[in-house]
Amino acid sequence: MRKPFIAGNWKMNNTRAEARELVTALKPLVASVDGVEIAVAPTFTCLQDVAELLKGSNIELSSQNISYAAKGAYTGEISADMLKDVGCSHAIIGHSERRQYFGETDESVSKRVRAALDNGIVPIVCIGESLDEREAGKTFDVVLGQLVNGLSSVKREESATVVIAYEPVWAIGTGKTATPEQAQEVHAAIRAKLAELFGQDNADAIRLQYGGSVKASNARELLGQKDIDGALVGGASLKADDFAAIIKAAVA
Ligand code: PEP
């Protein structure tokens, strides 16, 4: 039985004061929620403040990226060691905004995944097709290609810890959500590919999040699909009430 996992990607939002306010509002709303893993991913500048507030709560801390290098001359990067030091247990890797605006590739994703696993950080690996790719009938080629290449550094025995976020690029921040059937179809294909890569037992243990305009109003139906084990939530994670409602939908 896979435990649902809801993560909030705050993207480039919130000053430290705003981040503290958001997490302070969120904590009591979800404190009694059982059976769901919960994480928030603030910007790097807010990690320390949020980590302090999350101590003793049922909310984990994620970064929005992680360096593939251990240390040294990598200006602008943050290493796994540094993330662990500040309290991160998870790292979002290969978000479509990183791929689209900052040149991240499946190769760099694979290296970042390796760095995370080597340091006991759970990678949340993002994959997804663009609208053009979907309309050209390339969804499965693109998504499964990103999956295979992005996970090329993962060993079978560690694969069950990895989290995959399927996020159709056309659904991110657009208000357009994949229908539950569209999302389930891709999730099922992802799980089948994971079984080829890592064996059925591991594939059955890997959590697959859906991401793309998830809101309180559509979360329940999406999360009710057989292969959808959680959500990576952008916009709606910036409001404590909305994010809490999505978290509660995972166990409703
Ligand atoms: C995301 O940033 O991963 C995301 C899914 O954003 P949104 O929920 O705003 O579409």
Side-chain angles (χ1 to χ4, degrees), residues 158-181:
E158 62 193 358
S159 58
T161 54
V162 172
V163 175
I164 307 294
Y166 166 59
E167 302 202 298
V169 178
W170 48 271
I172 297 181
T174 59
K176 284 187 204 150
T177 320
T179 64
E181 294 74 26

Side-chain angles (χ1 to χ4, degrees), residues 9 11 95 97 167 171-174 211-214 232-236:
N9 174 16
K11 311 196 189 198
H95 191 281
E97 288 151 15
E167 302 202 298
I172 297 181
T174 59
S213 299
V214 175
L232 183 54
V233 184

